[in-house]
């Protein structure tokens, strides 16, 4: 999956406008990256990528790129 | 001396028997003298449950309750093998957290099939006169979450709320003629694998915060199993159509925020 597709998925998950997210965006700077978004991320990783994601792993993510790496 | 909770000679179906609360219900009922037909999907874990139970005329079936259409023939074969039952305990359930925006029909259907429709179908078939004794008692494991919910619990809360209502309808319609009873138990947080899964997803702080509002602390599976045994026994002979909260004081605590 290419980076554009990954960014689009994350934008849809957080209900952000297209093109809002950049790989280098700090997660702490995204208002929409809240507890609901994090739970949605767990579901998306499981459904779309077959990957288990724990709360501890989520805490280790600092930038959008960290999430994209995990999506690989 | 008498044991008022004695279930000797009684026979019950228990679903979700391979783990958590279902496993403990099998053990507790066997200790009270009941014969148990244990149902679960996972063979190795179901056998482990059997090894923990007191001796009795127990048997077990591997069955995936999401196959709701097959429950009737499975119940019929259990009855032809074992004779009439005295009720059932529905412990099978999934607690998958899912945001509203992602709770598609396919997900909602899956959680309703396992948590709700499988109980209704099992009770529908088992409550027939040819399949159960008079005064049979049915208990579905609901949840305090049917009244006290949280984000990402649309599917879970809906399925448990459906159980809470279904036992009332069944209690009215099937109680009058054959004195059958239908109730739910509604636990708060129990120390089971489902609890561990939720802690893993939502984090230890969230779990600690929720547990801090459980007046009596986290519930052990046996503490809910004991209430279930009471609801099966003649000690509760006039309790029917009720939702019994075994929630450690969670839902009455005004310190909840």
């Amino acid at each position: 999956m290419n980076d554009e597709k990954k960014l689009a998925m994350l934008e849809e998950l957080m209900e952000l406008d297209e093109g809002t997210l950049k790989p280098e965006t700090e997660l702490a700077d995204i208002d929409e990256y809240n507890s609901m978004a994090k739970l949605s991320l767990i579901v998306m990783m499981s459904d779309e990528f077959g990957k288990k994601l724990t709360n501890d792993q989520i805490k280790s993510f600092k930038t959008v790129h960290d999430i994209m790496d995990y999506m690989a | 001396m008498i044991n008022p909770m004695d279930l000797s000679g009684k026979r019950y179906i228990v679903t979700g028997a391979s783990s958590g609360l279902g496993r403990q219900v099998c053990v507790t009922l066997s200790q009270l003298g009941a014969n148990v037909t244990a149902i679960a999907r996972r063979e190795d874990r179901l056998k482990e449950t059997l090894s923990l139970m007191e001796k009795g005329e127990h048997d077990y079936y591997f069955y995936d309750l999401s196959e709701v259409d097959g429950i009737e023939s499975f119940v019929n074969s259990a009855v032809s093998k074992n004779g009439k039952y005295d009720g059932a305990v529905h412990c099978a359930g999934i607690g998958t957290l899912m945001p509203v925006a992602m709770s598609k029909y396919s997900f909602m259907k899956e959680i309703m099939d396992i948590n709700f429709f499988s109980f209704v179908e099992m009770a529908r078939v088992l409550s027939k006169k040819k399949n159960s004794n008079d005064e049979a008692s049915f208990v579905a494991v609901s949840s305090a979450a049917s009244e006290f919910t949280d984000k990402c619990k649309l599917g879970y809360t809906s399925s448990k709320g459906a159980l809470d209502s279904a036992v009332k309808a069944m209690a009215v319609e099937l109680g009058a003629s054959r004195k059958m009873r239908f109730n739910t138990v509604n636990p708060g947080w129990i120390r089971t694998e489902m609890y561990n899964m939720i802690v893993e997803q939502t984090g230890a702080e969230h779990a600690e915060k929720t547990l801090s509002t459980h007046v009596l602390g986290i519930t052990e599976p046996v503490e809910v199993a004991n209430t279930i045994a009471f609801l099966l026994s003649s000690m509760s002979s006039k309790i029917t159509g009720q939702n019994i909260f075994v929630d450690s004081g969670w839902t009455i605590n005004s310190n909840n925020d």
Side-chain angles (χ1 to χ4, degrees):
Chain A
M1 187 179 287
N2 64 32
D3 285 0
E4 287 72 35
K5 175 81 176 118
K6 289 180 188 174
L7 285 169
M9 286 178 83
L10 291 173
E11 284 161 353
E12 193 193 335
L13 186 138
M14 290 181 246
E15 297 193 62
L16 295 166
D17 292 336
E18 255 176 69
T20 312
L21 292 181
K22 302 276 178 289
E24 61 274 17
T25 309
E26 299 268 339
L27 293 169
D29 295 336
I30 308 171
D31 287 345
E32 289 80 0
Y33 188 64
N34 53 24
S35 65
M36 283 299 303
K38 289 171 191 172
L39 278 162
S40 301
L41 198 57
I42 292 175
V43 174
M44 191 185 79
M45 286 295 180
S46 167
D47 286 359
E48 306 288 333
F49 300 92
K51 284 189 169 181
K52 194 173 164 182
L53 184 60
T54 68
N55 192 262
D56 287 343
Q57 285 164 315
I58 288 174
K59 279 186 196 159
S60 73
F61 296 152
K62 300 294 175 226
T63 64
V64 170
H65 192 257
D66 294 338
I67 301 179
M68 291 165 67
D69 272 351
Y70 199 80
M71 291 162 95
Chain B
M1 202 164 87
I2 59 156
N3 173 6
M5 299 266 283
D6 184 26
L7 298 175
S8 298
K10 306 277 190 186
R11 177 169 281 281
Y12 302 97
I13 290 178
V14 178
T15 69
S18 64
S19 63
L21 182 55
R23 170 175 285 174
Q24 182 60 52
V25 168
C26 288
V27 171
T28 297
L29 296 190
S30 73
Q31 289 168 342
L32 292 168
N35 302 311
V36 175
T37 295
I39 316 293
R41 273 177 306 178
R42 294 170 287 187
E43 177 169 5
D44 49 332
R45 304 203 34 141
L46 187 50
K47 285 182 173 158
E48 206 181 313
T49 298
L50 268 289
S51 74
L52 297 168
M53 293 164 67
E54 295 275 328
K55 292 222 176 331
E57 292 169 26
H58 312 304
D59 62 349
Y60 58 86
Y61 290 83
F62 313 118
Y63 193 82
D64 182 351
L65 289 167
S66 63
E67 306 287 331
V68 180
D69 284 336
I71 291 175
E72 177 157 28
S73 60
F74 144 71
V75 169
N76 285 337
S77 71
V79 171
S80 63
K81 180 178 164 219
N82 295 316
K84 290 184 180 183
Y85 280 77
D86 296 285
V89 184
H90 181 54
C91 302
I94 51 175
T96 316
L97 298 174
M98 191 71 74
V100 172
M102 299 172 103
S103 295
K104 294 180 186 171
Y105 176 55
S106 58
F107 167 74
M108 292 299 287
K109 196 167 172 306
E110 182 194 9
I111 202 164
M112 289 299 283
D113 276 347
I114 295 170
N115 292 8
F116 176 65
F117 288 123
S118 65
F119 169 72
V120 170
E121 179 67 0
M122 180 177 66
R124 179 187 76 80
V125 178
L126 199 61
S127 61
K128 291 181 179 181
K129 200 168 181 179
K130 65 183 173 69
N131 293 338
S132 56
N133 295 312
D134 288 355
E135 298 179 29
S137 176
F138 295 78
V139 178
V141 175
S142 176
S143 168
S146 68
E147 290 206 355
F148 214 69
T149 189
D150 201 351
K151 290 171 186 168
C152 297
K153 285 192 175 173
L154 169 66
Y156 189 68
T157 292
S158 302
S159 69
K160 298 304 192 181
L163 285 173
D164 288 2
S165 296
V167 294
K168 297 176 199 295
M170 289 176 164
V172 168
E173 182 168 329
L174 301 172
S177 54
R178 295 180 46 220
K179 307 284 181 242
M180 286 187 289
R181 297 183 296 116
F182 299 82
N183 295 287
T184 65
V185 291
N186 299 53
W189 281 34
I190 317 175
R191 203 193 303 273
T192 61
E193 289 143 47
M194 196 187 286
Y195 166 77
N196 295 335
M197 180 198 80
I198 300 216
V199 170
E200 200 174 69
Q201 291 187 350
T202 61
E205 303 86 22
H206 179 264
E208 267 165 41
K209 189 170 158 240
T210 308
L211 273 181
S212 71
T213 57
H214 283 54
V215 179
L216 304 173
I218 192 167
T219 303
E220 298 297 336
V222 70
E223 296 176 293
V224 180
N226 286 339
T227 304
I228 291 170
F230 167 75
L231 289 169
L232 296 178
S233 78
S234 60
M235 292 295 285
S236 62
S237 57
K238 286 293 184 284
I239 300 179
T240 193
Q242 299 301 307
N243 309 132
I244 308 294
F245 279 67
V246 187
D247 68 351
S248 192
W250 185 25
T251 56
I252 49 97
N253 189 353
S254 63
N255 285 321
N256 283 304
D257 51 24

